[in-house]
Amino acid sequence: MREKNKITGAIFLLTILVMVLLNFDRNHTTVEATNASESDVQLIARAINGEARGEPYEGQVAIGAVILNRVKHPSFPNTVAGVIYQSGAFTAVADGQINVPIASGSTVVKAARDAINGWDPTGGAIYYFNPNTATNKWIWSRPRIKTIGQHIFCK
Amino acid sequence: MKIKEKIAKLPEKTKIGGIIAVFAMIVFVLILFMEKQEKNYIQVSENSYNMAFCELVDYVQNVEIYLSKALVSNSAEHGAETLTRVWREANLAQSYLARLPISSNELENTQKFLNQVSDYTYSLSSKNIQSEKLTQEDLENLAQLHTYSQELANILEQLSVDLNAGRINWSDLTEEKSSIFTQEVSNLSKDSFGSVEENFHEYAGLIYDGAYSEHITTQEKVGLTGEDISKEEAEDVVLEYLQNEDIREIQYNGFAENANIPAYEFYAKINKNGKEENINLSISKKGGYIIFANLDREIGAEILSQEDAEEIGRKFLEDRGITQMKSTYYTKQSGIVTINYAYYQELDGQQVVMYPDLIKVKVALDNGEVLGMESTGYLNSHHERDLAEIKITKEEAKKNINPNLEILSEGLAVIPTEWKTEIFCYEFRGKVQDREFLVYINVETGKEEDILIILNTENGVLTQ
């Protein structure tokens, strides 16, 4: 009996080991490539999903709009991917939230499409922050435009 | 003796000790393994940061070199070639700069500097390509940009000495400490860089033909006419927009003074077939225009065609007094179609499509309901145009088109350029090997101004 226990114990430990290793790897796999013509919509949708999936619809469109406002702005990279993956730009990129799969029935793809079609609820914002969690003092000094959901949007 | 028997013979304590030892060993191996993995990942990211930095140094040095060459060049052809190089090198430099693990606001000015060098030299090179010589002002701007680029190259050179001596550790930088690099570079932007920000303010008035030219965002909004309205009047606009809806609640969300178009913000809750839906509206202070309205809901089975939706959208605009709108393109997503409508003006019985005067309307394909509209383009640029005199006949214009293009339709249009100016053109829609194109020929000069590809995708008819 004891032998069996030992074997089960070993198997149990091995399973944990394997699971840890697998998980370890999963966190670092790159995101799958998307259809080229749709890739910007998908990337923006994933960024919205990572940054604001709990926000009201307008707040989701707003995140997409900020990304696109940055692409057009001289102080930021000139492509969607450049803006989204710029170092320190989005917490969802830093903590991997951007790689969380989009839930079915989620509105983030629609929100991304609206932003690309020109809806900009932020009125031209290039920054936003959550006043409850923002640690960067500098961000408070930016001229405010408006608050949508949990986020304050600024120039 | 078999191992099993051996183990069985061991005293109980030793057995437990053995199990603990095995467990400890597994944990130990696991920790070692994870440490090695982490080390690998740190090394990979260090390497990619180092690579980005070295690329940045090289490209900035090249920017400096080619800018100084451009200053000396005296022929338009060679000038164009040199400026094109500056454009390329500066563009790559800004792209590598963005990859460094330094938060964007620390390097905003440097990023902007590189972007504008790239953009400005691009516009000058297209000037040179048309055999125009650079003006004294252009040369002065270039000389100023060159001085900045020298400073930047020097400081980067200094930092690369630190890097090669192992004094820069990127993984330290990603933590939220102030670092040598950010200190250096923010000093650079404050002192030795000659305060890039301040100097770029001087460019605010400089209108060069480029997408990142400062005047783009501050351009006058010619479509935004009329008197300023109060919050109460803005609410009336909201009520009028929602006149056929079962309104539950209207909530005022404040006045956005700093928005591109200062506006009153509203949320409305409306009852739709027993379901509460949210709609949000932004009403301009000046003139009381609807900048945008947007409602999101789930769409049922699609029963309407694209043509039905276009007609609904056009009628919707007409009911709001926005007439002479022509649908141009559309996109589709989750049962919602977003149609672009452009204003047209009559000229000798012909419609001239004003592409910058754009309003977008969202129509639900399940019941034909209008879900939203967006009119920034229209508010930015709508006005009655004094069209330039047509100097090139349509036949002459056609001669400037690639003979392989099988022309399907032709018309007149005013198209926006990347830097928000407008050009009056002939618009030819044509086909080459099953691919549709739009070709724009300037009505005054006969110059081919733009070519667009028409993409028929499942998500709509788009141009690129």
Side-chain angles (χ1 to χ4, degrees):
Chain A
M1 262 329 265
R2 216 164 252 154
E3 303 300 313
K4 246 188 187 166
N5 274 348
K6 250 184 255 163
I7 293 165
T8 3
I11 290 172
F12 178 67
L13 281 174
L14 253 169
T15 331
I16 292 181
L17 185 81
V18 167
M19 271 167 68
V20 168
L21 293 185
L22 279 181
N23 233 340
F24 206 76
D25 239 342
R26 189 175 310 145
N27 285 339
H28 293 274
T29 28
T30 43
V31 195
E32 79 248 25
T34 42
N35 186 353
S37 64
E38 278 290 298
S39 65
D40 278 357
V41 184
Q42 292 302 326
L43 183 54
I44 292 171
R46 287 200 292 112
I48 296 172
N49 194 47
E51 290 276 315
R53 59 177 167 267
E55 290 288 300
Y57 186 72
E58 189 199 5
Q60 297 184 342
V61 181
I63 305 296
V66 168
I67 292 167
L68 293 163
N69 288 339
R70 285 191 174 189
V71 173
K72 285 178 257 165
H73 196 282
S75 301
F76 293 91
N78 306 332
T79 57
V80 168
V83 162
I84 290 178
Y85 289 108
Q86 187 178 20
S87 296
F90 294 97
T91 43
V93 173
D95 63 15
Q97 283 290 319
I98 189 167
N99 296 333
V100 172
I102 295 168
S104 68
S106 167
T107 54
V108 294
V109 179
K110 276 199 270 183
R113 178 74 70 188
D114 272 357
I116 287 172
N117 278 336
W119 269 262
D120 179 4
T122 73
I126 48 170
Y127 293 99
Y128 63 85
F129 64 102
N130 183 332
N132 301 319
T133 57
T135 49
N136 188 339
K137 285 193 192 99
W138 169 87
I139 195 80
W140 291 88
S141 67
R142 306 297 304 187
R144 305 263 176 98
I145 302 174
K146 65 168 103 164
T147 304
I148 302 169
Q150 295 288 314
H151 293 126
I152 295 177
F153 290 82
C154 21
K155 286 229 153 170
Chain B
M1 211 188 287
K2 279 183 186 164
I3 299 171
K4 271 187 185 175
E5 285 165 19
K6 256 188 183 172
I7 291 170
K9 275 198 173 171
L10 285 169
E12 197 67 10
K13 262 191 187 169
T14 326
K15 265 187 229 166
I16 296 172
I19 292 169
I20 292 173
V22 168
F23 185 74
M25 244 174 77
I26 291 175
V27 169
F28 182 68
V29 168
L30 200 71
I31 289 172
L32 270 187
F33 179 79
M34 281 168 91
E35 224 164 52
K36 192 176 176 293
Q37 285 275 334
E38 204 188 326
K39 239 179 161 179
N40 281 347
Y41 287 124
I42 290 175
Q43 195 54 54
V44 167
S45 63
E46 280 286 308
N47 291 346
S48 72
Y49 292 142
N50 281 340
M51 184 250 192
F53 181 77
C54 294
E55 295 278 20
L56 172 68
V57 174
D58 280 355
Y59 286 126
V60 169
Q61 278 169 355
N62 290 344
V63 167
E64 193 273 320
I65 288 166
Y66 287 119
L67 271 176
S68 58
K69 282 189 186 174
L71 282 167
V72 181
S73 165
N74 203 25
S75 87
E77 296 82 28
H78 189 247
E81 199 185 312
T82 317
L83 287 164
T84 314
R85 294 235 164 124
V86 181
W87 165 48
R88 175 179 178 274
E89 304 288 321
N91 192 33
L92 285 163
Q94 70 87 19
S95 143
Y96 280 106
L97 178 72
R99 291 188 208 179
L100 296 179
I102 297 156
S103 72
S104 48
N105 56 315
E106 305 269 11
L107 289 173
E108 230 186 351
N109 287 336
T110 321
Q111 182 85 32
K112 186 171 176 177
F113 166 71
L114 290 172
N115 246 333
Q116 291 195 326
V117 168
S118 150
D119 197 33
Y120 185 56
T121 50
Y122 175 73
S123 73
L124 290 188
S125 76
S126 32
K127 202 168 170 179
N128 263 339
I129 285 166
Q130 288 159 40
S131 302
E132 261 180 76
K133 272 204 171 179
L134 302 185
T135 64
Q136 193 53 37
E137 202 193 344
D138 295 337
L139 289 171
E140 276 163 20
N141 286 333
L142 277 181
Q144 207 183 358
L145 292 174
H146 177 245
T147 318
Y148 294 140
S149 72
Q150 258 176 331
E151 300 264 5
L152 184 60
N154 283 340
I155 288 182
L156 290 175
E157 179 70 25
Q158 195 54 48
L159 285 166
S160 71
V161 172
D162 286 347
L163 183 92
N164 289 329
R167 283 192 293 268
I168 293 180
N169 186 356
W170 297 109
S171 54
D172 288 348
L173 289 186
T174 45
E175 287 160 31
E176 279 184 40
K177 293 180 228 160
S178 78
S179 57
I180 325 166
F181 193 86
T182 40
Q183 273 166 15
E184 284 279 337
V185 178
S186 43
N187 284 343
L188 157 99
S189 50
K190 276 182 202 121
D191 317 322
S192 49
F193 212 165
S195 178
V196 178
E197 183 110 308
E198 255 170 52
N199 280 294
F200 271 113
H201 271 296
E202 288 167 30
Y203 285 119
L206 173 76
I207 296 180
Y208 66 91
D209 292 347
Y212 297 105
S213 158
E214 214 84 18
H215 74 290
I216 291 294
T217 44
T218 54
Q219 63 154 346
E220 203 196 339
K221 292 167 177 62
V222 288
L224 201 63
T225 54
E227 296 299 311
D228 283 0
I229 63 161
S230 66
K231 178 206 149 195
E232 285 69 30
E233 287 170 298
E235 201 167 331
D236 289 341
V237 176
V238 173
L239 287 171
E240 201 194 323
Y241 182 86
L242 300 172
Q243 58 183 320
N244 298 323
E245 306 290 351
D246 178 7
I247 304 171
R248 286 290 159 85
E249 190 192 339
I250 290 183
Q251 194 191 329
Y252 176 55
N253 191 34
F255 176 60
E257 173 86 64
N258 288 322
N260 283 346
I261 299 175
Y264 299 102
E265 308 291 332
F266 292 92
Y267 288 113
K269 287 193 195 318
I270 52 181
N271 176 30
K272 284 220 179 279
N273 311 319
K275 238 182 136 187
E276 192 178 80
E277 303 284 358
N278 290 304
I279 179 162
N280 80 285
L281 297 106
S282 188
I283 311 296
S284 72
K285 183 183 187 190
K286 193 174 183 195
Y289 295 96
I290 298 167
I291 301 169
F292 68 85
N294 205 2
L295 179 151
D296 176 62
R297 66 166 171 83
E298 284 206 18
I299 307 299
E302 295 172 26
I303 52 164
L304 289 158
S305 72
Q306 179 55 32
E307 290 70 33
D308 297 336
E310 270 172 33
E311 187 52 32
I312 289 167
R314 210 184 44 72
K315 178 95 180 14
F316 166 85
L317 291 174
E318 234 163 52
D319 289 348
R320 277 155 189 80
I322 306 165
T323 52
Q324 289 183 257
M325 300 300 281
K326 192 178 170 141
S327 71
T328 52
Y329 302 103
Y330 71 91
T331 55
K332 215 175 120 178
Q333 180 81 55
S334 317
I336 300 168
V337 65
T338 305
I339 307 154
N340 289 10
Y341 292 90
Y343 174 70
Y344 64 85
Q345 218 168 291
E346 301 270 350
L347 182 78
D348 305 326
Q350 269 195 90
Q351 290 181 357
V352 184
V353 182
M354 308 292 167
Y355 282 108
D357 301 9
L358 206 61
I359 298 186
K360 289 144 192 172
V361 179
K362 267 168 71 171
V363 179
L365 292 177
D366 58 352
N367 64 359
E369 185 184 19
V370 171
L371 298 178
M373 65 179 283
E374 196 281 328
S375 58
T376 318
Y378 193 83
L379 296 178
N380 279 339
S381 43
H382 177 62
H383 63 289
E384 207 58 32
R385 276 137 179 109
D386 232 350
L387 292 168
E389 197 191 325
I390 298 178
K391 291 187 183 140
I392 307 279
T393 66
K394 196 180 275 177
E395 299 317 309
E396 283 169 327
K398 272 186 192 167
K399 279 182 204 147
N400 292 348
I401 296 177
N402 186 318
N404 291 331
L405 189 85
E406 177 200 334
I407 295 170
L408 303 171
S409 70
E410 39 199 48
L412 287 164
V414 168
I415 58 167
T417 64
E418 220 180 316
W419 42 94
K420 305 274 165 86
T421 56
E422 296 180 346
I423 321 171
F424 185 19
C425 290
Y426 283 110
E427 179 184 64
F428 295 99
R429 188 183 180 127
K431 218 162 75 172
V432 178
Q433 292 174 344
D434 287 335
R435 199 139 205 202
E436 277 189 48
F437 294 86
L438 290 170
V439 180
Y440 294 93
I441 305 288
N442 193 313
V443 297
E444 285 182 275
T445 63
K447 196 182 147 210
E448 185 178 81
E449 297 284 358
D450 208 354
I451 296 178
L452 298 176
I453 296 180
I454 299 174
L455 300 171
N456 283 302
T457 70
E458 55 172 325
N459 289 311
V461 177
L462 306 164
T463 53
Q464 221 166 50

Short mmCIF file of all heavy atoms in Angstrom, two decimals, chain A residues 45-90:
data_model
loop_
_atom_site.label_atom_id
_atom_site.label_comp_id
_atom_site.label_asym_id
_atom_site.label_seq_id
_atom_site.Cartn_x
_atom_site.Cartn_y
_atom_site.Cartn_z
N ALA A 45 -8.41 45.71 -30.71
CA ALA A 45 -9.43 45.03 -29.90
C ALA A 45 -8.80 44.32 -28.71
O ALA A 45 -9.31 44.38 -27.59
CB ALA A 45 -10.21 44.04 -30.75
N ARG A 46 -7.65 43.69 -28.93
CA ARG A 46 -6.98 42.99 -27.84
C ARG A 46 -6.46 43.97 -26.79
O ARG A 46 -6.50 43.69 -25.59
CB ARG A 46 -5.84 42.12 -28.38
CG ARG A 46 -6.36 40.88 -29.09
CD ARG A 46 -5.31 39.79 -29.19
NE ARG A 46 -4.22 40.19 -30.08
CZ ARG A 46 -3.00 40.44 -29.67
NH1 ARG A 46 -2.67 40.35 -28.40
NH2 ARG A 46 -2.08 40.78 -30.53
N ALA A 47 -5.96 45.11 -27.29
CA ALA A 47 -5.49 46.13 -26.35
C ALA A 47 -6.66 46.64 -25.50
O ALA A 47 -6.55 46.80 -24.28
CB ALA A 47 -4.83 47.28 -27.10
N ILE A 48 -7.80 46.88 -26.15
CA ILE A 48 -8.99 47.33 -25.41
C ILE A 48 -9.40 46.25 -24.41
O ILE A 48 -9.68 46.53 -23.25
CB ILE A 48 -10.17 47.62 -26.38
CG1 ILE A 48 -9.84 48.78 -27.31
CG2 ILE A 48 -11.45 47.92 -25.59
CD1 ILE A 48 -10.87 49.00 -28.41
N ASN A 49 -9.36 45.00 -24.87
CA ASN A 49 -9.72 43.88 -24.00
C ASN A 49 -8.84 43.84 -22.76
O ASN A 49 -9.30 43.62 -21.65
CB ASN A 49 -9.60 42.57 -24.80
CG ASN A 49 -10.26 41.41 -24.12
OD1 ASN A 49 -11.40 41.53 -23.68
ND2 ASN A 49 -9.54 40.30 -24.02
N GLY A 50 -7.54 44.09 -22.96
CA GLY A 50 -6.60 44.07 -21.84
C GLY A 50 -6.75 45.27 -20.93
O GLY A 50 -6.56 45.18 -19.72
N GLU A 51 -7.08 46.41 -21.51
CA GLU A 51 -7.10 47.64 -20.73
C GLU A 51 -8.47 47.94 -20.13
O GLU A 51 -8.56 48.57 -19.08
CB GLU A 51 -6.70 48.83 -21.63
CG GLU A 51 -5.24 48.85 -22.04
CD GLU A 51 -4.35 49.49 -20.98
OE1 GLU A 51 -4.73 50.55 -20.45
OE2 GLU A 51 -3.29 48.94 -20.66
N ALA A 52 -9.55 47.57 -20.83
CA ALA A 52 -10.86 48.10 -20.43
C ALA A 52 -12.02 47.16 -20.67
O ALA A 52 -13.11 47.60 -21.01
CB ALA A 52 -11.09 49.42 -21.17
N ARG A 53 -11.81 45.83 -20.48
CA ARG A 53 -12.95 44.97 -20.81
C ARG A 53 -14.11 45.14 -19.85
O ARG A 53 -15.24 44.85 -20.18
CB ARG A 53 -12.54 43.52 -20.99
CG ARG A 53 -11.90 42.85 -19.83
CD ARG A 53 -11.62 41.38 -20.13
NE ARG A 53 -10.73 40.88 -19.11
CZ ARG A 53 -9.43 40.85 -19.21
NH1 ARG A 53 -8.85 41.27 -20.32
NH2 ARG A 53 -8.67 40.41 -18.22
N GLY A 54 -13.84 45.69 -18.65
CA GLY A 54 -14.95 45.90 -17.72
C GLY A 54 -15.60 47.27 -17.84
O GLY A 54 -16.53 47.58 -17.10
N GLU A 55 -15.11 48.07 -18.77
CA GLU A 55 -15.60 49.45 -18.89
C GLU A 55 -16.87 49.51 -19.74
O GLU A 55 -17.14 48.60 -20.52
CB GLU A 55 -14.51 50.30 -19.56
CG GLU A 55 -13.31 50.55 -18.69
CD GLU A 55 -13.61 51.53 -17.56
OE1 GLU A 55 -13.98 52.67 -17.87
OE2 GLU A 55 -13.48 51.15 -16.39
N PRO A 56 -17.64 50.62 -19.63
CA PRO A 56 -18.78 50.78 -20.53
C PRO A 56 -18.30 50.87 -21.99
O PRO A 56 -17.12 51.15 -22.23
CB PRO A 56 -19.41 52.10 -20.08
CG PRO A 56 -18.35 52.80 -19.30
CD PRO A 56 -17.53 51.73 -18.68
N TYR A 57 -19.22 50.63 -22.91
CA TYR A 57 -18.84 50.59 -24.34
C TYR A 57 -18.07 51.82 -24.77
O TYR A 57 -17.03 51.73 -25.41
CB TYR A 57 -20.10 50.43 -25.20
CG TYR A 57 -19.79 50.23 -26.67
CD1 TYR A 57 -19.25 49.05 -27.12
CD2 TYR A 57 -20.02 51.25 -27.58
CE1 TYR A 57 -18.95 48.86 -28.44
CE2 TYR A 57 -19.72 51.08 -28.92
CZ TYR A 57 -19.19 49.87 -29.34
OH TYR A 57 -18.88 49.69 -30.67
N GLU A 58 -18.54 52.98 -24.37
CA GLU A 58 -17.89 54.23 -24.75
C GLU A 58 -16.44 54.27 -24.26
O GLU A 58 -15.54 54.75 -24.94
CB GLU A 58 -18.67 55.41 -24.15
CG GLU A 58 -18.20 56.74 -24.66
CD GLU A 58 -18.64 57.89 -23.76
OE1 GLU A 58 -19.23 57.64 -22.69
OE2 GLU A 58 -18.36 59.04 -24.12
N GLY A 59 -16.23 53.75 -23.04
CA GLY A 59 -14.88 53.69 -22.47
C GLY A 59 -13.97 52.78 -23.28
O GLY A 59 -12.77 53.01 -23.36
N GLN A 60 -14.56 51.75 -23.90
CA GLN A 60 -13.77 50.85 -24.75
C GLN A 60 -13.40 51.53 -26.06
O GLN A 60 -12.26 51.45 -26.51
CB GLN A 60 -14.56 49.57 -25.02
CG GLN A 60 -14.84 48.77 -23.75
CD GLN A 60 -15.54 47.46 -24.03
OE1 GLN A 60 -16.11 47.26 -25.11
NE2 GLN A 60 -15.51 46.56 -23.08
N VAL A 61 -14.37 52.22 -26.67
CA VAL A 61 -14.08 52.95 -27.91
C VAL A 61 -12.99 53.98 -27.60
O VAL A 61 -12.07 54.19 -28.41
CB VAL A 61 -15.33 53.67 -28.46
CG1 VAL A 61 -15.01 54.40 -29.75
CG2 VAL A 61 -16.46 52.68 -28.71
N ALA A 62 -13.07 54.59 -26.41
CA ALA A 62 -12.13 55.64 -26.03
C ALA A 62 -10.68 55.14 -26.02
O ALA A 62 -9.78 55.84 -26.48
CB ALA A 62 -12.50 56.20 -24.66
N ILE A 63 -10.45 53.91 -25.53
CA ILE A 63 -9.09 53.36 -25.51
C ILE A 63 -8.58 53.22 -26.95
O ILE A 63 -7.45 53.60 -27.26
CB ILE A 63 -9.05 51.98 -24.81
CG1 ILE A 63 -9.64 52.04 -23.40
CG2 ILE A 63 -7.63 51.41 -24.79
CD1 ILE A 63 -8.91 52.90 -22.42
N GLY A 64 -9.43 52.70 -27.83
CA GLY A 64 -9.05 52.58 -29.23
C GLY A 64 -8.73 53.94 -29.84
O GLY A 64 -7.76 54.09 -30.59
N ALA A 65 -9.52 54.94 -29.48
CA ALA A 65 -9.32 56.29 -30.01
C ALA A 65 -7.98 56.86 -29.55
O ALA A 65 -7.27 57.48 -30.34
CB ALA A 65 -10.47 57.20 -29.59
N VAL A 66 -7.62 56.62 -28.29
CA VAL A 66 -6.33 57.12 -27.79
C VAL A 66 -5.18 56.48 -28.57
O VAL A 66 -4.24 57.16 -28.98
CB VAL A 66 -6.18 56.85 -26.27
CG1 VAL A 66 -4.75 57.10 -25.81
CG2 VAL A 66 -7.13 57.73 -25.48
N ILE A 67 -5.28 55.18 -28.82
CA ILE A 67 -4.24 54.50 -29.60
C ILE A 67 -4.10 55.17 -30.96
O ILE A 67 -3.00 55.50 -31.40
CB ILE A 67 -4.57 52.99 -29.76
CG1 ILE A 67 -4.45 52.30 -28.39
CG2 ILE A 67 -3.64 52.34 -30.77
CD1 ILE A 67 -5.03 50.90 -28.35
N LEU A 68 -5.23 55.42 -31.63
CA LEU A 68 -5.19 56.01 -32.97
C LEU A 68 -4.74 57.47 -32.92
O LEU A 68 -4.05 57.93 -33.83
CB LEU A 68 -6.54 55.86 -33.65
CG LEU A 68 -6.87 54.39 -33.95
CD1 LEU A 68 -8.35 54.22 -34.22
CD2 LEU A 68 -6.06 53.90 -35.13
N ASN A 69 -5.12 58.20 -31.87
CA ASN A 69 -4.65 59.58 -31.74
C ASN A 69 -3.13 59.61 -31.59
O ASN A 69 -2.47 60.52 -32.09
CB ASN A 69 -5.30 60.26 -30.52
CG ASN A 69 -6.77 60.57 -30.76
OD1 ASN A 69 -7.22 60.63 -31.91
ND2 ASN A 69 -7.53 60.74 -29.69
N ARG A 70 -2.59 58.61 -30.88
CA ARG A 70 -1.14 58.54 -30.72
C ARG A 70 -0.44 58.26 -32.05
O ARG A 70 0.61 58.82 -32.32
CB ARG A 70 -0.76 57.46 -29.71
CG ARG A 70 -1.02 57.87 -28.30
CD ARG A 70 -0.40 56.92 -27.32
NE ARG A 70 -0.56 57.43 -25.96
CZ ARG A 70 0.02 56.91 -24.90
NH1 ARG A 70 0.79 55.86 -25.02
NH2 ARG A 70 -0.16 57.45 -23.71
N VAL A 71 -1.02 57.37 -32.86
CA VAL A 71 -0.41 57.06 -34.15
C VAL A 71 -0.26 58.34 -34.97
O VAL A 71 0.74 58.55 -35.65
CB VAL A 71 -1.26 56.02 -34.92
CG1 VAL A 71 -0.73 55.82 -36.33
CG2 VAL A 71 -1.27 54.69 -34.18
N LYS A 72 -1.24 59.23 -34.86
CA LYS A 72 -1.23 60.47 -35.65
C LYS A 72 -0.38 61.57 -35.01
O LYS A 72 -0.16 62.59 -35.61
CB LYS A 72 -2.67 60.99 -35.82
CG LYS A 72 -3.48 60.20 -36.83
CD LYS A 72 -4.90 60.73 -36.90
CE LYS A 72 -5.85 59.84 -36.17
NZ LYS A 72 -7.15 60.36 -35.87
N HIS A 73 0.04 61.35 -33.76
CA HIS A 73 0.73 62.40 -33.01
C HIS A 73 2.25 62.31 -33.19
O HIS A 73 2.79 61.21 -33.16
CB HIS A 73 0.35 62.27 -31.53
CG HIS A 73 0.67 63.47 -30.72
ND1 HIS A 73 1.95 63.74 -30.30
CD2 HIS A 73 -0.09 64.49 -30.26
CE1 HIS A 73 1.95 64.87 -29.61
NE2 HIS A 73 0.72 65.34 -29.58
N PRO A 74 2.94 63.47 -33.37
CA PRO A 74 4.39 63.40 -33.60
C PRO A 74 5.20 62.81 -32.45
O PRO A 74 6.27 62.27 -32.69
CB PRO A 74 4.80 64.86 -33.84
CG PRO A 74 3.66 65.69 -33.38
CD PRO A 74 2.44 64.84 -33.52
N SER A 75 4.69 62.89 -31.22
CA SER A 75 5.49 62.40 -30.09
C SER A 75 5.42 60.90 -29.87
O SER A 75 5.95 60.39 -28.89
CB SER A 75 5.05 63.10 -28.80
OG SER A 75 5.19 64.47 -28.94
N PHE A 76 4.73 60.20 -30.74
CA PHE A 76 4.57 58.75 -30.57
C PHE A 76 4.91 58.02 -31.87
O PHE A 76 4.95 58.63 -32.93
CB PHE A 76 3.12 58.44 -30.17
CG PHE A 76 2.78 58.97 -28.80
CD1 PHE A 76 2.23 60.24 -28.66
CD2 PHE A 76 3.04 58.23 -27.67
CE1 PHE A 76 1.94 60.74 -27.40
CE2 PHE A 76 2.75 58.73 -26.41
CZ PHE A 76 2.20 59.99 -26.27
N PRO A 77 5.15 56.71 -31.76
CA PRO A 77 5.41 55.92 -32.98
C PRO A 77 4.26 56.07 -34.00
O PRO A 77 3.15 56.43 -33.63
CB PRO A 77 5.51 54.49 -32.46
CG PRO A 77 5.93 54.63 -31.04
CD PRO A 77 5.28 55.88 -30.55
N ASN A 78 4.55 55.73 -35.24
CA ASN A 78 3.59 56.02 -36.31
C ASN A 78 2.76 54.84 -36.77
O ASN A 78 2.11 54.90 -37.81
CB ASN A 78 4.33 56.60 -37.51
CG ASN A 78 5.17 57.79 -37.10
OD1 ASN A 78 4.86 58.49 -36.15
ND2 ASN A 78 6.25 58.02 -37.82
N THR A 79 2.82 53.74 -36.02
CA THR A 79 2.01 52.58 -36.39
C THR A 79 1.23 52.11 -35.16
O THR A 79 1.61 52.41 -34.03
CB THR A 79 2.90 51.41 -36.86
OG1 THR A 79 3.82 51.10 -35.81
CG2 THR A 79 3.68 51.75 -38.11
N VAL A 80 0.17 51.34 -35.41
CA VAL A 80 -0.65 50.83 -34.31
C VAL A 80 0.19 49.93 -33.39
O VAL A 80 0.21 50.10 -32.17
CB VAL A 80 -1.87 50.06 -34.85
CG1 VAL A 80 -2.57 49.29 -33.74
CG2 VAL A 80 -2.85 51.03 -35.52
N ALA A 81 0.95 49.02 -33.99
CA ALA A 81 1.77 48.11 -33.18
C ALA A 81 2.85 48.89 -32.44
O ALA A 81 3.14 48.62 -31.27
CB ALA A 81 2.40 47.04 -34.07
N GLY A 82 3.45 49.88 -33.12
CA GLY A 82 4.48 50.70 -32.48
C GLY A 82 3.94 51.39 -31.25
O GLY A 82 4.60 51.44 -30.20
N VAL A 83 2.74 51.93 -31.35
CA VAL A 83 2.12 52.65 -30.22
C VAL A 83 1.77 51.67 -29.10
O VAL A 83 2.09 51.90 -27.94
CB VAL A 83 0.86 53.41 -30.69
CG1 VAL A 83 -0.02 53.79 -29.51
CG2 VAL A 83 1.27 54.66 -31.46
N ILE A 84 1.14 50.56 -29.45
CA ILE A 84 0.67 49.63 -28.42
C ILE A 84 1.85 49.00 -27.67
O ILE A 84 1.83 48.88 -26.46
CB ILE A 84 -0.26 48.55 -29.03
CG1 ILE A 84 -1.58 49.22 -29.44
CG2 ILE A 84 -0.51 47.42 -28.04
CD1 ILE A 84 -2.57 48.30 -30.10
N TYR A 85 2.88 48.61 -28.40
CA TYR A 85 4.00 47.93 -27.76
C TYR A 85 5.12 48.87 -27.33
O TYR A 85 6.18 48.41 -26.91
CB TYR A 85 4.55 46.83 -28.68
CG TYR A 85 3.60 45.66 -28.80
CD1 TYR A 85 2.88 45.43 -29.97
CD2 TYR A 85 3.41 44.81 -27.72
CE1 TYR A 85 1.99 44.37 -30.06
CE2 TYR A 85 2.53 43.75 -27.81
CZ TYR A 85 1.82 43.52 -28.97
OH TYR A 85 0.95 42.47 -29.06
N GLN A 86 4.90 50.17 -27.41
CA GLN A 86 5.92 51.10 -26.92
C GLN A 86 6.16 50.84 -25.43
O GLN A 86 5.22 50.62 -24.67
CB GLN A 86 5.44 52.54 -27.13
CG GLN A 86 6.51 53.56 -26.80
CD GLN A 86 6.06 54.99 -27.04
OE1 GLN A 86 4.86 55.27 -27.11
NE2 GLN A 86 7.01 55.89 -27.17
N SER A 87 7.42 50.87 -25.04
CA SER A 87 7.75 50.53 -23.65
C SER A 87 7.03 51.44 -22.67
O SER A 87 7.05 52.64 -22.81
CB SER A 87 9.25 50.65 -23.42
OG SER A 87 9.92 49.73 -24.22
N GLY A 88 6.41 50.83 -21.69
CA GLY A 88 5.78 51.60 -20.62
C GLY A 88 4.51 52.32 -21.02
O GLY A 88 3.95 53.06 -20.23
N ALA A 89 4.04 52.10 -22.23
CA ALA A 89 2.87 52.86 -22.68
C ALA A 89 1.56 52.30 -22.10
O ALA A 89 0.73 53.06 -21.61
CB ALA A 89 2.81 52.89 -24.20
N PHE A 90 1.39 50.99 -22.15
CA PHE A 90 0.13 50.40 -21.69
C PHE A 90 0.41 49.30 -20.66
O PHE A 90 1.22 48.42 -20.91
CB PHE A 90 -0.67 49.83 -22.86
CG PHE A 90 -1.16 50.88 -23.81
CD1 PHE A 90 -0.44 51.16 -24.97
CD2 PHE A 90 -2.30 51.60 -23.54
CE1 PHE A 90 -0.87 52.14 -25.85
CE2 PHE A 90 -2.74 52.58 -24.42
CZ PHE A 90 -2.03 52.86 -25.57
#
